[in-house]
Amino acid sequence: MSLIHFQILSAALFSIGIYGVLARRNAVLILLALELMLNAVNINLIAFAAYGELAQAATGQVIAIFVITVAAAEVGLAMAIILRLFRDRSSVDVYDVDVMKW
Amino acid sequence: MMLDAESVANLGVQWAWLAPAICAFAFFAIVVFSRFLPKQIALLSPLAILASFGVFWYVLNEFLSSGGGIFSVDWFTVGGTTFTLGIMIDPLSVVMLGLVTFVALMVQVYSLGYMKDQEGSFSWYFAAHSLFAAAMLTLVLADNFLLMYIAWELVGACSYLLIGFWYHKRSAAEAAKKAFITTRIGDVGLLIGILLLFNETGTFDISTIIHIAENGGIGSGTLTAAVLLIFLGAMGKSAQFPLHVWLPDAMEGPTPVSALIHAATMVVAGVFLVARAFPLFFMSDTAMLVVAVIGLVTALITAAMALVMTDLKRVLAYSTISHLGFMMLALGSFGFTAAIFHLVAHAFAKSLLFLGAGSIAHGTGGKRDIREMGGLWRRMPVTSISFGIGLLALGGIPPLSGFFSKDEILVAVLDGRGSLFFIMTLIAAFMSALYMARLLFLVVLGNLKTENDHSHESPLVMTVPLVVLAVLALGAGLLAPGLIPGYDGFGNWLYFKEAEAYHINFLVMTLSVVLSLAGFGLGWAMYSRKSLSADRIRGRFAGLHRVLVNKYYIDDLYQFGIDRAVLAFARFMALFDRIVVNDTGVNGLGRSVFLSGWRLRYLETGKVYNYALGMAVGVVAVALIWLLLLPYA
Amino acid sequence: MNLSLVVFYLLSVVCLGGAVGVVMSRNVVHAALLLLVSLMAVSGLYLLLLAEFLALVQVLIYGGAITIVVLFVIMLTRAQEFRSMSANPQWRLAIVTAFGVFVLLAAAIIKGAPTETVRQSLGFKELGNSLFTDWAVPFEVASLVLLVALIGAIVIARERDVE
């Protein structure tokens, strides 16, 4: 088991997350896929922290902590937006969100 | 014949250029002022040609006393070459000058009467005549090929204008087109030939080219090629086989036009061209042989057609082509003097015959079919006698002019080309006597048909030219041998390389006279006494008769070729234009813009997930490109 | 083949399987719960990587906070009524893109050719030290981010008649 295993896993998870973001209609589900992507990044970071130079190990884990933090904040805000969206048009289907046309 | 520059400066012959200039001036004057004096202004044309005839007399006098020369002025310079305008005065050009001005004068005077009652613009007719005269005179006087070619094309254009004078008539318009296009084919050859010579010698000047060629400055292969191409041009203008098809159709034009252009002047331009370039032709045995053969073939096949045609003008047209063939044959057999003499004699007689045919049409109320004529001498004596003289002259009856000229040609052929050519020429001569006799007995002599009872003689303005030309047809033969003191005969005046006295070859002379008389005799038997039935002979040789009447189907062959080749090419071009240029190019451009807009619409849907996809695809694309190109960076 | 490799593969299968379930499931609630499963597997992977603190943080934050929030929002937006919705019109292109991304990343990874096989552990003490000395400023900023997110969420999600 070496670094490359974790890296490939991270890449796979990231790709699955991308598919989810691009191919889902429910805004909530898009957010869930987004979380997958963030976690993939985190795996990568922690793997580097574990297998790299000792002096930089802290960097990897600290940045991972920050990623989790920002992810949490973003989830909160995103949910607020989704609630607002739902309240205004009774639907969370991103198919109907096309006001950016003009 | 070339004199140096200083001594020629004072020669009177240099004023010969006035002849075409006066006619050109008349053309412009008529065109400009025809709006004000439509009928009267036309008189300017005969006056101009009369003045040109006067110039001829002056030039002739000066030539006989002081000799000829070449006079030129610089025209323009391109690159390192200077092009000139100039005239060349030698016996050949003096003869042509006289012939053209005289016959044109006769024809124009005649036209004053003939065209008065015809439809069409009176003044434009004479304007075209003046333009033609100017062009033709320039052609015969020119000292360089470039000027001659310009005049050559202009003469062709005038022919087109005059053949299609009655342009409302479909047949006339078609005939004019046919004439122009057929001669155009020859003209291309002429142009290429001239340019070939220019390429080899660096000049268009005729005498310079001859000088260079005689000193071996032009390769023999190139010379033969150039000369043959020039002959192609001559073939077109002089209606030699296979470019003869335009001349019979040209009879759609007014009869005086046929007399002038298609009997005496324009069609002889080809013969004149060969004569002018004769020193060049002389250096190529191949070319001489080609000229002789084509001349002979033309003479034979058109004489055969003249025997079966029923339209008076058509018979005369085919006869003209046949006699042009004789002239070419003479040139190809080294009979320079004979050819030119026949040119002159034929011009007088044939223009006489055409003008006579016009007079007959005028008098009988428009008849042109010889089967409807006969016995006209009772009602139209002057016309009939003149017409008859013309027929006898061209049939070769002594002592008319035609006999002398045909005799000279036969001698030349026998001496220059041998017995086979000689015998075939005799056959052609016999046929020409026969068809002339046919006309004589069917048109002039015989019984008067009742429907022609009211025919009347033509007015003086038409009959006087007829009489004058008849006198010349009668007596011009006397110019051949030297019978006048101080004049040694035509051959001692106009010759190539060495002067020739008139040849008296008793064998040839006898044969020629016998054949002419035999031809007339046969004609008398067939058409007058009717002891030999023409219809029976026609029945016996029905297939041959049909071929002859259909002009050997040559016209149909040409039409077929045009339909297949030219029109097919035109269709292909149209297809190409429609598919490639229009559909793919123009329409295609429009469609591609439309399609690209239609596809690019997806970039601006307003839907978030579309934009997200766009971003993702963009990233992937950029990264892929960067990854692939990294090894090469 | 040693124990850690086996564990790794097990955890990877759970993780990726859960992820696939998240993106393909027709039921929103199932998707949310499968996300939880996947993230717990990720936590296990952290343990494998000798990052204990982060594993705990992962469980706390994701399993505790985020999943709850998501479930609440699902409930509030009556997502179960829209169960028939699953995929976008552009899902084919999305698959292609996702695959392209994977290929890209894999290519980059293989090119990098990492060869390390020895894991090291970072102690709590060092992590805490680093967090409060080298990374002190980002740490403060992170707390600000959380504050802003909090306020923002309240503002956005507020009822309209409350002025």
Side-chain angles (χ1 to χ4, degrees):
Chain A
M1 183 177 63
S2 71
L3 181 58
I4 201 169
H5 291 92
F6 284 98
Q7 285 194 305
I8 298 286
L9 172 68
S10 154
L13 196 59
F14 191 75
S15 310
I16 294 175
I18 284 209
Y19 172 74
V21 166
L22 295 177
R24 290 299 230 166
R25 275 172 87 154
N26 193 328
V28 180
L29 293 174
I30 292 180
L31 195 61
L32 296 182
L34 201 57
E35 291 307 311
L36 282 176
M37 286 165 73
L38 285 168
N39 274 279
V41 170
N42 263 354
I43 294 177
N44 215 5
L45 281 167
I46 308 265
F48 277 130
Y51 282 97
E53 297 168 20
L54 188 58
Q56 298 191 327
T59 310
Q61 295 201 2
V62 166
I63 292 183
I65 291 178
F66 285 138
V67 168
I68 294 181
T69 311
V70 170
E74 166 232 330
V75 165
L77 270 172
M79 289 307 155
I81 292 176
I82 289 176
L83 274 177
R84 193 54 183 275
L85 202 63
F86 178 76
R87 208 181 296 147
D88 285 344
R89 35 181 93 208
S90 310
S91 156
V92 286
D93 189 348
V94 291
Y95 210 53
D96 301 328
V97 181
D98 54 6
V99 288
M100 275 204 283
K101 237 193 316 209
W102 305 297
Chain B
M1 218 62 58
M2 288 169 61
L3 304 173
D4 60 277
E6 288 87 39
S7 62
V8 304
N10 296 323
L11 283 183
V13 293
Q14 64 182 300
W15 298 108
W17 66 270
L18 278 175
I22 296 175
C23 295
F25 170 75
F27 167 71
F28 284 113
I30 296 178
V31 166
V32 167
F33 292 109
S34 66
R35 188 189 301 263
F36 310 110
L37 307 160
K39 287 272 182 171
Q40 295 83 331
I41 196 70
L43 280 174
L44 211 55
S45 179
L47 286 174
I49 200 74
L50 182 63
S52 300
F53 187 58
V55 171
F56 158 70
W57 273 112
Y58 171 72
V59 167
L60 180 66
N61 253 313
E62 287 293 314
F63 182 73
L64 289 175
S65 58
S66 333
I70 301 175
F71 313 90
S72 64
V73 293
D74 287 346
W75 192 14
F76 61 91
T77 312
V78 174
T81 329
T82 308
F83 301 105
T84 62
L85 291 171
I87 58 174
M88 179 193 284
I89 308 293
D90 66 351
L92 181 61
S93 57
V94 170
V95 165
M96 294 302 293
L97 179 64
L99 180 68
V100 171
T101 48
F102 180 70
V103 177
L105 178 63
M106 292 294 113
V107 166
Q108 289 202 24
V109 168
Y110 178 95
S111 298
L112 286 172
Y114 186 83
M115 294 301 286
K116 204 159 40 136
D117 313 313
Q118 303 280 355
E119 54 179 83
S121 166
F122 196 67
S123 53
W124 171 246
Y125 174 82
F126 281 96
H129 259 285
S130 284
L131 183 63
F132 170 80
M136 190 72 205
L137 288 170
T138 312
L139 201 161
V140 302
L141 290 175
D143 77 330
N144 63 68
F145 277 124
L146 184 65
L147 185 60
M148 190 187 285
Y149 184 74
I150 295 172
W152 183 277
E153 293 285 347
L154 198 53
V155 162
C158 288
S159 166
Y160 169 84
L161 289 172
L162 283 167
I163 294 175
F165 182 70
W166 291 310
Y167 52 85
H168 319 290
K169 252 185 12 167
R170 185 65 198 267
S171 50
E174 292 286 323
K177 221 176 11 165
K178 186 173 179 178
F180 195 73
I181 293 177
T182 315
T183 52
R184 200 86 194 90
I185 298 176
D187 294 347
V188 170
L190 176 60
L191 184 62
I192 298 179
I194 292 178
L195 290 175
L196 256 177
L197 288 174
F198 178 76
N199 193 36
E200 289 284 319
T201 60
T203 176
F204 286 112
D205 194 65
I206 299 178
S207 47
T208 315
I209 294 178
I210 294 176
H211 189 70
I212 294 177
E214 282 174 346
N215 289 333
I218 308 180
S220 71
T222 319
L223 183 63
T224 307
V227 148
L228 281 175
L229 285 165
I230 291 179
F231 183 60
L232 188 66
M235 278 166 67
K237 268 292 189 292
S238 292
Q240 299 295 294
F241 174 83
L243 294 174
H244 64 283
V245 293
W246 64 272
L247 205 140
D249 286 17
M251 298 299 116
E252 292 286 336
T255 310
V257 169
S258 304
L260 178 63
I261 298 186
H262 306 122
T265 44
M266 187 185 102
V267 292
V268 302
V271 178
F272 170 76
L273 178 64
V274 177
R276 220 343 139 237
F278 200 68
L280 297 173
F281 277 84
F282 187 71
M283 282 188 263
S284 164
D285 290 333
T286 322
M288 291 295 273
L289 186 61
V290 167
V291 171
V293 167
I294 295 217
L296 181 61
V297 168
T298 307
L300 278 171
I301 68 175
T302 48
M305 283 199 268
L307 281 173
V308 302
M309 294 294 167
T310 53
D311 181 296
L312 179 57
K313 283 181 73 175
R314 288 280 153 118
V315 174
L316 292 176
Y318 282 108
S319 166
T320 306
I321 305 176
S322 183
H323 280 275
L324 288 168
F326 278 125
M327 293 177 220
M328 286 298 183
L329 172 62
L331 282 174
S333 312
F334 307 93
F336 185 78
T337 314
I340 303 300
F341 190 65
H342 191 61
L343 195 158
V344 175
H346 171 266
F348 290 143
K350 197 44 80 56
S351 55
L352 165 62
L353 285 176
F354 269 107
L355 292 182
S359 177
I360 289 175
H362 189 267
T364 59
K367 288 213 196 303
R368 294 202 6 189
D369 192 325
I370 57 177
R371 295 170 294 194
E372 297 173 14
M373 301 176 189
L376 290 175
W377 65 276
R378 284 177 224 272
R379 293 275 180 269
M380 307 171 65
V382 179
T383 303
S384 304
I385 294 178
S386 325
F387 196 73
I389 290 177
L391 291 173
L392 291 173
L394 280 181
I397 304 290
L400 276 66
S401 55
F403 160 72
F404 287 96
S405 62
K406 200 168 294 184
D407 189 54
E408 281 291 276
I409 292 181
L410 285 168
V411 169
V413 171
L414 182 61
D415 287 339
R417 289 287 168 198
S419 12
L420 176 63
F421 275 75
F422 180 67
I423 293 176
M424 302 191 71
T425 316
L426 283 177
I427 296 175
F430 174 73
M431 283 200 278
S432 74
L434 183 58
Y435 62 69
M436 287 293 159
R438 177 174 177 245
L439 285 182
L440 182 67
F441 292 115
L442 282 181
V443 173
V444 177
L445 300 177
N447 301 317
L448 184 63
K449 292 192 173 29
T450 42
E451 60 260 26
N452 291 332
D453 201 43
H454 60 279
S455 317
H456 58 275
E457 186 59 85
S458 301
L460 262 179
V461 74
M462 288 167 66
T463 52
V464 165
L466 285 176
V467 170
V468 173
L469 284 169
V471 166
L472 281 171
L474 263 176
L478 300 170
L479 279 175
L483 299 175
I484 309 171
Y487 171 66
D488 289 325
F490 197 68
N492 273 320
W493 188 63
L494 176 110
Y495 54 86
F496 178 68
K497 288 221 184 303
E498 52 198 37
E500 334 172 327
Y502 183 72
H503 302 98
I504 305 196
N505 180 327
F506 284 108
L507 170 67
V508 172
M509 206 179 291
T510 323
L511 274 172
S512 145
V513 174
V514 163
L515 278 174
S516 301
L517 288 174
F520 273 87
L522 183 60
W524 180 63
M526 280 174 68
Y527 299 106
S528 180
R529 277 281 300 273
K530 301 278 172 52
S531 49
L532 244 59
S533 168
D535 292 315
R536 269 231 330 257
I537 296 184
R538 189 180 314 137
R540 281 272 292 279
F541 296 99
L544 181 63
H545 185 261
R546 200 177 30 243
V547 168
L548 286 174
V549 169
N550 281 320
K551 302 167 271 178
Y552 305 99
Y553 300 106
I554 293 182
D555 274 326
D556 304 308
L557 186 71
Y558 283 159
Q559 189 63 46
F560 178 76
I562 289 176
D563 282 341
R564 282 299 152 95
V566 176
L567 292 180
F569 182 67
R571 269 192 292 273
F572 166 72
M573 276 287 128
L575 201 72
F576 179 80
D577 179 58
R578 190 162 46 83
I579 290 183
V580 175
V581 176
N582 193 40
D583 285 351
T584 312
V586 178
N587 279 359
L589 214 60
R591 270 197 76 76
S592 62
V593 172
F594 173 75
L595 278 174
S596 59
W598 195 57
R599 288 280 143 78
L600 286 172
R601 180 159 66 98
Y602 287 114
L603 280 175
E604 293 281 326
T605 55
K607 303 214 180 12
V608 188
Y609 57 95
N610 283 135
Y611 294 163
L613 180 65
M615 284 193 280
V617 168
V619 168
V620 172
V622 170
L624 256 172
I625 293 173
W626 183 75
L627 200 66
L628 288 172
L629 293 180
L630 196 59
Y632 307 106
Chain C
M1 181 63 77
N2 50 23
L3 183 63
S4 40
L5 194 62
V6 171
V7 173
F8 170 77
Y9 279 127
L10 266 171
L11 285 171
S12 320
V13 167
V14 173
C15 176
L16 289 175
V20 170
V22 169
V23 299
M24 304 273 283
S25 168
R26 286 182 178 273
N27 189 325
V28 191
V29 182
H30 287 177
L33 292 174
L34 281 168
L35 180 68
L36 181 61
V37 166
S38 182
L39 294 182
M40 290 307 110
V42 170
S43 174
L45 284 166
Y46 288 168
L47 278 176
L48 212 53
L49 283 167
L50 310 176
E52 299 88 358
F53 179 63
L54 267 144
L56 284 171
V57 167
Q58 173 94 348
V59 171
L60 271 174
I61 304 298
Y62 276 109
I66 290 182
T67 309
I68 302 300
V69 171
V70 167
L71 282 172
F72 258 109
V73 172
I74 289 175
M75 183 183 68
L76 284 172
T77 61
R78 300 190 209 132
Q80 57 266 33
E81 292 178 11
F82 304 102
R83 217 166 290 186
S84 56
M85 281 194 293
S86 58
N88 240 330
Q90 64 184 30
W91 64 273
R92 289 185 191 88
L93 208 53
I95 286 191
V96 171
T97 312
F99 187 68
V101 169
F102 179 68
V103 164
L104 217 54
L105 289 171
I109 290 165
I110 293 171
K111 227 168 189 234
T115 50
E116 291 81 2
T117 47
V118 178
R119 294 186 310 256
Q120 68 222 353
S121 163
L122 188 70
F124 264 157
K125 236 197 200 159
E126 283 79 13
L127 183 61
N129 238 342
S130 176
L131 194 58
F132 286 105
T133 54
D134 298 322
W135 296 95
V137 176
F139 184 75
E140 298 303 325
V141 172
S143 51
L144 268 175
V145 166
L146 284 169
L147 181 65
V148 166
L150 192 64
I151 298 176
I154 292 174
V155 167
I156 292 176
R158 207 160 43 157
E159 295 285 340
R160 210 164 298 165
D161 50 7
V162 181
E163 285 303 311

